[in-house]
Amino acid sequence: MDIEKVILLSVIRHGEQADIEELSGLVEALGYRVVDSVVQRRRSFVPSTYAGKGKIEELKRLAEEKDASLIVAYHNLSPSQVRNIERITGLKVRDRTEIILEIFAERARTKEAKIQVELAKCYHQLSRLRGKGKELSRLGGGIGTRGPGETILETESRAIRQRVHFLKREIEKYSKRRSLFTERRKRSGLVTVAVAGYTNVGKSTLVRRLTGEEVFIKDIPFATLDTRTGRIFLKSINKKVLITDTVGFIKDIPHELIASFKATLQEVTNSNIVVVVYDITSSNLESESDAVENILKEIGASEKPRITVFNKIDLVEGDEETFRLIVAGRVKRCENPVFLSAKTGEGVGRFLKKIEKMIKNLSF
Ligand SMILES: Nc1nc2c(ncn2[C@@H]2O[C@H](COP(=O)(O)OP(=O)(O)OP(=O)(O)O)[C@@H](O)[C@H]2O)c(=O)[nH]1
Ligand SMILES: [Mg+2]
């Protein structure tokens, strides 16, 4: 079968940025090929077509020329925007949230992750239906009339809401189980360290390096969707420490995903120390750091004791001074910085020393 060819579409409003390269990586993670991208700078989105009509026409010509069959928009689109762009171009249209949800759906392995992804999809469908409802009611007849479309919408959204109710109850079970584990850990005096950070920075590689756990590592966004915990023993302070790998963060994360992955992200909130990992080679440290801080805040973990890891130093020439210069002023918070390579192991000793010191000082 031919690989589906995709053109990316983004409207950048004044003072805003869109990470087209990242969107391209996400789309390609699903096995599509990105053949071009169209970017329009303007003050606001066009309500009916997201980008201006001229741009959409240009997109149509480009798609013909490049044999593309799918358009992926950077921002969330309303149902009417999708319909209008589809009508003008004759191509399928999706948005970034749908792409991320699809990646999550593809990667989910455990029952819990699958339930969380399904919940996120339900939330997304509901928000789309709400949009559709508004459009229909604008078209609708006089007071008290109920168009047939509306009835179908109501039935549809009721079915989804029932499913949401069921899925939430299922997630609650996992959440309770996690709370029990947390309690037990606390009582047994085990210290827990959660490894968090942007997607694809090397969190799982670090956890594997430290614990030897066979976690899944791959050069793709969202390789990890489930938390995995391994343990290490810190001889000098005679303590067992649990290290948990977590799902990666992303900018403008679909709100549906944070809401449904709260249970998994609870591991970060419940831990004693949070290790925030960055990829020192990233050219987007600033916006990645913003995203990380926003999500940590949303899950109530921003005030946890933390260590900031800059990973992948094997890809950079130089010494610690060079590394410091590379990251200087680029991440919002930089408590207890450590530079290391999870791949080669360089600097991992220093990292463990930092953890030991922190545990001693915090006297867990
Ligand atoms: N050169 C180099 N590559 C690394 C290092 N650490 C991780 N990688 C590579 O970076 C990619 C992502 O690594 P993962 O450990 O899966 O990253 P992650 O943060 O767990 O990613 P998600 O689970 O997808 O959020 C893989 O190709 C790793 O081999 C490192 O220290 N140096
Ligand atoms: Mg991972």
Side-chain angles (χ1 to χ4, degrees):
M1 212 180 82
D2 275 352
I3 295 178
E4 191 150 11
K5 297 192 185 117
V6 178
I7 297 187
L8 308 177
L9 171 65
S10 176
V11 174
I12 303 181
R13 291 174 295 184
H14 297 317
E16 286 184 354
Q17 284 183 334
D19 195 336
I20 300 296
E21 208 178 305
E22 178 176 270
L23 179 60
S24 177
L26 292 169
V27 169
E28 298 203 332
L30 283 174
Y32 302 130
R33 182 173 325 136
V34 174
V35 289
D36 215 329
S37 61
V38 170
V39 175
Q40 182 174 42
R41 285 175 198 279
R42 51 180 301 145
R43 196 168 313 190
S44 58
F45 302 143
V46 177
S48 58
T49 48
Y50 175 54
K53 296 250 163 56
K55 269 285 167 213
I56 303 290
E57 291 291 344
E58 181 188 324
L59 192 64
K60 183 184 178 184
R61 285 193 297 276
L62 196 64
E64 271 164 23
E65 193 184 301
K66 306 237 163 160
D67 192 27
S69 51
L70 176 65
I71 295 170
V72 175
Y74 189 82
H75 295 92
N76 279 353
L77 299 179
S78 72
S80 69
Q81 285 170 334
V82 171
R83 253 195 335 273
N84 290 334
I85 306 173
E86 283 182 344
R87 193 169 35 81
I88 298 170
T89 60
L91 306 170
K92 280 178 292 176
V93 175
R94 322 217 356 229
D95 61 31
R96 182 174 179 268
T97 296
E98 288 173 296
I99 296 293
I100 294 175
L101 288 176
E102 202 172 310
I103 297 177
F104 268 66
E106 214 173 65
R107 304 264 202 275
R109 288 284 169 273
T110 61
K111 182 98 191 291
E112 185 185 15
K114 284 184 181 152
I115 293 174
Q116 296 184 117
V117 172
E118 191 187 340
L119 180 62
K121 282 191 160 170
C122 285
Y123 283 144
H124 191 60
Q125 277 172 329
L126 280 177
S127 71
R128 275 275 167 92
L129 282 180
R130 267 196 296 275
K132 231 188 230 172
K134 269 195 211 138
E135 283 164 29
L136 284 180
S137 63
R138 272 202 299 274
L139 295 174
I143 300 161
T145 54
R146 205 193 243 181
E150 217 170 325
T151 321
I152 293 167
L153 278 190
E154 275 169 7
T155 322
E156 228 176 293
S157 69
R158 192 172 326 115
I160 300 173
R161 275 200 303 271
Q162 274 166 0
R163 188 76 189 150
V164 165
H165 186 70
F166 168 78
L167 295 169
K168 273 182 152 169
R169 281 229 311 259
E170 288 297 297
I171 290 174
E172 191 57 30
K173 287 184 201 158
Y174 287 97
S175 191
K176 281 213 179 98
R177 212 175 300 164
R178 261 183 226 284
S179 302
L180 280 178
F181 276 133
T182 311
E183 274 308 307
R184 216 181 298 160
R185 271 183 216 158
K186 269 194 195 143
R187 276 204 303 271
S188 64
L190 277 174
V191 175
T192 53
V193 174
V195 179
Y198 213 72
T199 186
N200 215 26
V201 294
K203 300 177 296 298
S204 300
T205 311
L206 181 63
V207 169
R208 184 194 279 181
R209 160 80 47 197
L210 296 169
T211 65
E213 277 278 315
E214 282 301 313
V215 290
F216 181 57
I217 295 171
K218 214 169 166 201
D219 189 12
I220 46 172
F222 307 116
T224 308
L225 283 197
D226 314 303
T227 53
R228 284 282 289 276
T229 302
R231 52 175 69 204
I232 51 173
F233 183 67
L234 296 175
K235 240 192 262 160
S236 69
I237 53 168
N238 192 28
K239 265 210 182 288
K240 261 194 220 134
V241 175
L242 294 182
I243 307 227
T244 303
D245 187 14
T246 62
V247 53
F249 302 162
I250 194 158
K251 285 169 251 203
D252 306 316
I253 196 166
H255 194 78
E256 296 92 334
L257 275 178
I258 303 192
S260 30
F261 273 78
K262 273 241 159 92
T264 302
L265 292 168
Q266 205 180 318
E267 292 279 351
V268 182
T269 318
N270 289 340
S271 66
N272 300 110
I273 297 173
V274 179
V275 173
V276 177
V277 184
Y278 287 103
D279 174 347
I280 194 169
T281 67
S282 165
S283 50
N284 295 313
L285 277 182
E286 297 81 352
S287 56
E288 288 170 10
S289 151
D290 283 347
V292 167
E293 293 305 335
N294 286 341
I295 297 163
L296 287 178
K297 199 159 155 203
E298 177 144 4
I299 61 173
S302 54
E303 296 315 319
K304 295 245 151 208
R306 64 162 98 166
I307 293 180
T308 313
V309 164
F310 293 96
N311 186 32
K312 309 199 186 180
I313 58 165
D314 55 294
L315 299 175
V316 183
E317 296 235 354
D319 55 10
E320 179 139 350
E321 196 45 43
T322 325
F323 306 147
R324 277 183 196 281
L325 282 175
I326 291 176
V327 304
R330 294 178 63 202
V331 299
K332 256 194 178 151
R333 284 172 56 179
C334 195
E335 285 119 287
N336 303 306
V338 192
F339 301 91
L340 58 80
S341 165
K343 196 172 181 178
T344 66
E346 195 189 340
V348 170
R350 280 197 301 274
F351 169 70
L352 285 173
K353 284 254 150 49
K354 267 225 159 104
I355 292 206
E356 283 172 6
K357 199 166 137 206
M358 193 169 249
I359 293 173
K360 248 197 285 187
N361 290 343
L362 295 168
S363 59
F364 293 126

